[in-house]
Amino acid sequence: MFIAGFPAGAWGTNCYLVAPAAGEECVIVDPGHQATAGVEEMIREHRLKPVAVVLTHGHIDHVASVVPVCGAKDVPAYLHPEDRFMLTDPEKALGRSIGAQLLGELTLGEPSDLRELTDGAVLRLAGLELTVDHAPGHTKGSVTFRTPATEEIPPVLFSGDLLFAGSIGRTDFPGGSHEAIMRSLARVCLPLDDATVVLSGHGNQTTIGRERATNPYLQQAAGLAEGPAAPRRGM
C-alpha cells in the first residue's frame, strides 16, 4: 500500500492520499484548509488518479477543500450524516467565529455527490478496503478508517481527531463529549493490534502499541492507572 501525506493550512491538518501503489487509483483522506495545491502536487508526483474523498469528520480544518477537490476530479465524498451540517455552517460546528477573513476564502457547501458513512461499513475503493468505525466524541459524526493487515504491511488506522500521538481530540466544541470519546477509544482503538500504524488528523505518526503504553487517555479508556493530562491538539 502507498500512502502520501502532508499537513495543510492554518491548522496543519494532515491530508493523506492512499493507493495500492504509486501510479494507481487513490482515495483522498481529509482535504482540509488550503489542501488543494498539495493534493495536486501529490497526484502529479506519484501519478495517482483519485476516485473518492473520505472524511473523518466535518470540522472545517478537515473539509475546507472537499468541494474544489471533488469538483475538479469528479469524484464522490463520504461523510457521516451527523456532521453533514458542518459543510455549510462551519461556525455552528465550532461554537465561535473563525474569522470573517478566513470564511471569505473558503468554498462552503456540499460536493455534488455526497455519500453517507455508517458504522461497520466496508468501503472498497481504488483497490483498497477501508472499514468505517463510528467514533463520536470529538464530533457526533467522527469516524475512523482502517485497513486490514497483510503479510507485507501492518494495518493502518486513519484516526482523524480521535487519537493523536500522546493525546486525543478536543471535546469542548458543540457536539463534543469527553465521555463519548473515551468510549470510542475503548471500542475502536483498544481492540486493534499493537502493530497498527496510526495516521491522525494532526501531528506525527504513531502506533497503537506505543499509545497503549504511553497515552494517558488510552490508558484511562482501558481502566489502567491514570497519568497526567497531555495537551490536546487540533481543532
Side-chain angles (χ1 to χ4, degrees), residues 37-229:
V39 167
E40 290 294 342
E41 181 180 348
M42 293 292 101
I43 289 171
R44 288 193 301 270
E45 180 179 351
H46 303 292
R47 310 179 314 283
L48 299 170
K49 177 178 171 47
V51 298
V53 169
V54 297
L55 303 168
T56 61
H57 63 288
H59 279 161
I60 195 67
D61 60 323
H62 289 253
V63 306
S65 296
V66 66
V67 169
V69 168
C70 287
K73 304 304 177 186
D74 192 25
V75 299
Y78 292 78
L79 176 69
H80 193 278
E82 289 273 14
D83 281 7
R84 184 168 184 165
F85 75 94
M86 299 184 189
L87 295 176
T88 54
D89 195 354
E91 286 187 288
K92 184 177 180 181
L94 298 176
R96 59 176 174 81
S97 173
I98 61 174
Q101 182 177 359
L102 179 56
L103 276 175
E105 74 177 60
L106 301 178
T107 305
L108 302 179
E110 297 184 357
S112 59
D113 187 354
L114 181 62
R115 305 180 187 184
E116 292 188 351
L117 295 171
T118 57
D119 185 46
V122 178
L123 304 179
R124 292 180 173 87
L125 302 165
L128 303 167
E129 183 178 293
L130 300 173
T131 299
V132 179
D133 288 300
H134 187 208
H138 181 62
T139 68
K140 291 183 177 180
S142 289
V143 303
T144 65
F145 304 100
R146 53 186 167 90
T147 68
T150 69
E151 292 184 1
E152 296 81 18
I153 59 172
V156 175
L157 176 72
F158 296 93
S159 65
D161 286 4
L162 170 64
L163 179 66
F164 301 134
S167 191
I168 59 173
R170 293 174 60 166
T171 58
D172 57 338
F173 291 128
S177 165
H178 183 75
E179 292 75 16
I181 204 170
M182 296 302 286
R183 291 194 297 269
S184 292
L185 290 169
R187 185 179 72 89
V188 174
C189 297
L190 286 176
L192 300 178
D193 189 274
D194 281 354
T196 303
V197 176
V198 179
L199 299 178
S200 62
H202 302 269
N204 297 327
Q205 173 180 315
T206 187
T207 66
I208 288 294
R210 184 178 302 143
E211 297 313 299
R212 201 190 307 275
T214 64
N215 189 317
Y217 298 102
L218 203 58
Q219 291 173 351
Q220 289 173 33
L224 302 177
E226 294 186 3

Side-chain angles (χ1 to χ4, degrees), residues 8-9 13 15 29-36 60-66:
T13 305
C15 176
V29 182
D30 286 355
H33 180 231
Q34 297 180 342
T36 305
I60 195 67
D61 60 323
H62 289 253
V63 306
S65 296
V66 66

